[in-house]
Amino acid sequence: MSEDPEEVLRLRVVRAEVEDVKEKLRAARAQQEELEKKVTDLLAKQRKARDNRREAILAADAAGIPRLRISKEVGMPRGNMYKLLAGDSSDDS
């Protein structure tokens, strides 16, 4: 059995290096795709939770609950809550 020249051995080493990086990149892209899906799902849940919070705030306000207490109970700054009650839909917290 003949021994391969040093150049051929080097070609094998660099090939293995490139293939290793390609595999790691593929795995990283798969993780990134999973994370992007998770973020999208969480953003949808956040929108739904904010809609529920808005409905609860409006119902509490209509029931005569003091606005200071409403803001404390929902953990929302009063300024944002007042904007919500005034009809501004930019529910940022």
Side-chain angles (χ1 to χ4, degrees):
M1 181 171 154
S2 67
E3 190 174 312
D4 292 323
E6 183 179 324
E7 292 80 10
V8 171
L9 297 175
R10 183 170 180 226
L11 291 172
R12 290 177 186 163
V13 168
V14 295
R15 175 184 176 184
E17 181 182 6
V18 169
E19 288 178 359
D20 181 56
V21 171
K22 282 170 56 175
E23 179 57 29
K24 288 177 181 175
L25 184 58
R26 185 207 59 76
R29 285 182 175 146
Q31 285 180 325
Q32 182 180 20
E33 186 177 314
E34 289 176 30
L35 286 174
E36 287 173 0
K37 183 184 181 315
K38 186 175 184 177
V39 166
T40 299
D41 292 346
L42 288 171
L43 287 171
K45 287 179 182 181
Q46 182 183 48
R47 281 189 296 275
K48 179 65 177 161
R50 285 181 172 176
D51 287 344
N52 290 341
R53 178 176 65 183
R54 181 180 179 278
E55 291 173 14
I57 289 171
L58 293 174
D61 188 56
I65 307 288
R67 290 180 172 185
L68 177 61
R69 180 159 185 203
I70 295 171
S71 72
K72 285 183 179 180
E73 294 293 335
V74 296
M76 178 184 234
R78 281 186 293 163
N80 290 355
M81 189 190 70
Y82 291 141
K83 287 179 187 176
L84 185 144
L85 291 170
D88 182 0
S89 62
S90 63
D91 186 5
D92 291 333
S93 348

